[in-house]
Amino acid sequence: MELRDLPKVDALSRESALSGYPVAVRTAAARGAVAKMRAMVQAGKSPQNGVAIELAVNEAESLVASSLVEVINASGVILHTGIGRARLAPSVQRRLSEVAGSHVATEIDLASGERGDRQDHVRALLLALTSAEDAHVVNNCAAAVLLALCALCAQKEVILSRGQMIEIGGSFRMPDIVRQSGCRLVEVGCTNKTHVFDYEDAITEETAAILRCHPSNYRVVGFTQGVSAESLRKIADEKGLLIIDDMGNGCLIDIAEYGLPHETTLPEAVAAGADVVTASADKLLGGPQAGIILGRKEAIAKIRKHPLARAVRVDKLTLTALEETLRLYSTGRQNEIPTLAYLSKPLDSVKRDAQRLKRAFKGESLVSQGFTEVGGGSAPGAGIPTWRLGLKTADPIATARKLRTGRPAILTRIERDIVWLDPRTIDRSELLRVEKALSLL
């Protein structure tokens, strides 16, 4: 076959095999099929008769199929960004279903019939759980930082330690976010050491705020030194500056009780005196993707009134998921949140699950101790002990791909040519499905 022999898009789109699809899908599927055939011919291959229709049908099925495929997390990372970070609690899932299928009083005061404030659904809970003066919620933490800087520091200088010049997933960098806000970034200190005098020497009449960033996905160790939130508050008070503390991980309670290193909690950050504290809701807090902004009333009022606040506002589903997750904390039921349930899962229970999965696999395997990472830029370098199942196969890459592309999709990891499954993050309801997948390998 030569390029001139390729089928016409319009003719292929009219094939009876595609008749069940709308015109737009048939055309897109035909166009995609022809493009693949063109690539085959250019690579020196000659497509067989009938391949055009087969490719077009595959293209059409792919177009209409849901791309958000359910994944069972056996990767050994609790908050895996690639699969949506925090898993919502069962009670939150049920409430989301109710709200998604009905109209709800998102932004209306039912008593007066007048317009209400959608932030009211989460504000009281956030204030009760953190002791902040006020709160505002947006669609993610990067938006929270950007909004705070735009509203409070535009056209002014913002000081940031070089040791906190973080880059998060997708090559988004904190210095870029600062510049995008219209602020002028002033870098101080060194990668491993920043002192009080570094901040003091950098302050000018144009300085509006000191920005403090959680290291997110890395940890600097060894010959290091930083400046505490309390010391920064003292500097800010003396110079009349704002403190914006990007906590990132959104930790509401002390995770040291789960055997992890202590991470500053949101209540602690508020108590340390920051004017604004920002955090993610889908990390250690265990809620939906959202950016939480806590702080002093005056600062939050300016943030709320800024035009960008409308552009990054949250919808009714995010508000519902966050409200219900916060309600679990407020009623002492936080261990129903999967993120915290996984952290607190007893080690002997994890081992039993690993042994159960081992019995399902017909090939050579082993049950071995390991560590489950927290992940999601929440507690860099931290993990908790686990037991995991290792599959010894001739082609570990192919084995991992087969599990990953199956239904259900099972996410694993490869280390030392062994495919590892960590059952710490596998729910009881999912174990049987994983067993079946393993038995078919």
Side-chain angles (χ1 to χ4, degrees), residues 126-434:
L126 285 170
L127 302 192
L129 291 167
T130 66
S131 298
E133 292 182 10
D134 205 351
H136 189 82
V137 175
V138 295
N139 59 355
N140 63 32
C141 192
V145 176
L146 179 65
L147 176 58
L149 291 171
C150 287
L152 304 174
C153 311
Q155 309 305 317
K156 294 286 188 178
E157 293 176 351
V158 173
I159 299 174
L160 177 62
S161 167
R162 291 188 176 90
Q164 297 171 5
M165 298 278 181
I166 63 171
E167 177 181 310
I168 57 178
S171 299
F172 288 96
R173 297 177 172 181
M174 184 56 68
D176 294 336
I177 293 174
V178 174
R179 296 187 187 100
Q180 187 63 38
S181 71
C183 299
R184 297 189 296 278
L185 178 66
V186 177
E187 303 176 11
V188 298
C190 294
T191 301
N192 59 322
K193 281 202 171 191
T194 302
H195 304 270
V196 168
F197 63 78
D198 289 317
Y199 288 99
E200 292 175 333
D201 292 347
I203 295 171
T204 71
E205 292 183 355
E206 291 297 305
T207 305
I210 296 173
L211 176 61
R212 186 170 181 266
C213 293
H214 183 274
S216 184
N217 50 12
Y218 70 93
R219 189 178 296 277
V220 179
V221 297
F223 190 57
T224 65
Q225 183 173 330
V227 180
S228 68
E230 291 78 10
S231 296
L232 290 179
R233 180 71 266 170
K234 183 178 179 181
I235 297 170
D237 287 341
E238 291 174 352
K239 302 295 183 178
L241 306 179
L242 295 172
I243 297 291
I244 299 174
D245 196 349
D246 177 27
M247 290 303 302
N249 62 27
C251 187
L252 266 180
I253 59 176
D254 188 0
I255 60 173
E257 64 181 84
Y258 301 112
L260 292 162
H262 174 75
E263 288 282 340
T264 302
T265 66
L266 293 180
E268 290 171 343
V270 169
D275 297 279
V276 172
V277 176
T278 60
S280 295
D282 59 346
K283 294 185 179 181
L284 285 173
L285 191 144
Q289 177 182 296
I292 297 173
I293 308 175
L294 307 167
R296 304 189 188 280
K297 284 193 173 189
E298 298 82 0
I300 300 298
K302 291 180 180 179
I303 287 170
R304 186 177 295 118
K305 293 177 182 178
H306 194 276
L308 185 60
R310 177 61 181 257
V312 296
R313 76 176 185 176
V314 289
D315 71 337
K316 67 175 184 178
L317 297 181
T318 301
L319 286 169
T320 298
L322 181 55
E323 179 188 23
E324 294 302 313
T325 302
L326 294 173
R327 199 181 305 284
L328 291 174
Y329 282 98
S330 68
T331 55
R333 297 162 53 206
Q334 60 266 21
N335 279 344
E336 294 179 23
I337 298 170
T339 299
L340 301 183
Y342 297 151
L343 288 173
S344 61
K345 191 173 183 179
L347 194 55
D348 58 350
S349 176
V350 180
K351 184 177 182 180
R352 284 195 300 270
D353 289 346
Q355 291 170 333
R356 175 177 166 179
L357 295 178
K358 177 179 170 61
R359 291 191 292 270
F361 182 62
K362 299 182 179 67
E364 185 181 359
S365 63
L366 73 158
V367 171
S368 175
Q369 288 182 294
F371 281 89
T372 304
E373 297 176 32
V374 177
S378 298
I384 52 177
T386 194
W387 287 90
R388 54 187 187 163
L389 171 66
L391 311 180
K392 295 183 176 181
T393 63
D395 190 342
I397 294 177
T399 300
R401 184 188 300 113
K402 187 172 183 180
L403 289 169
R404 193 174 61 246
T405 57
R407 294 296 179 270
I410 302 171
L411 192 63
T412 63
R413 70 163 61 187
I414 299 175
E415 291 177 7
R416 303 187 303 277
D417 293 328
I418 297 176
V419 180
W420 294 97
L421 291 86
D422 184 347
R424 178 174 288 281
T425 52
I426 300 177
D427 276 7
R428 286 287 173 186
S429 61
E430 298 171 330
L431 274 174
L432 187 61
R433 300 166 73 191
V434 178

Side-chain angles (χ1 to χ4, degrees), residues 1-76:
M1 178 181 287
E2 298 183 9
L3 290 176
R4 64 173 176 268
D5 299 320
L6 291 174
K8 302 295 183 182
V9 170
D10 59 344
L12 183 56
S13 69
R14 291 194 298 270
E15 288 287 343
S16 60
L18 297 173
S19 62
Y21 298 99
V23 174
V25 172
R26 296 201 303 266
T27 302
R31 187 175 291 116
V34 172
K36 288 185 176 180
M37 293 181 68
R38 182 181 297 108
M40 294 169 65
V41 172
Q42 289 173 337
K45 300 176 182 178
S46 182
Q48 298 178 350
N49 292 333
V51 72
I53 295 176
E54 181 182 346
L55 286 173
V57 170
N58 290 340
E59 288 284 309
E61 290 176 348
S62 178
L63 283 169
V64 300
S66 174
S67 60
L68 287 172
V69 175
E70 177 191 1
V71 176
I72 294 177
N73 183 15
S75 68

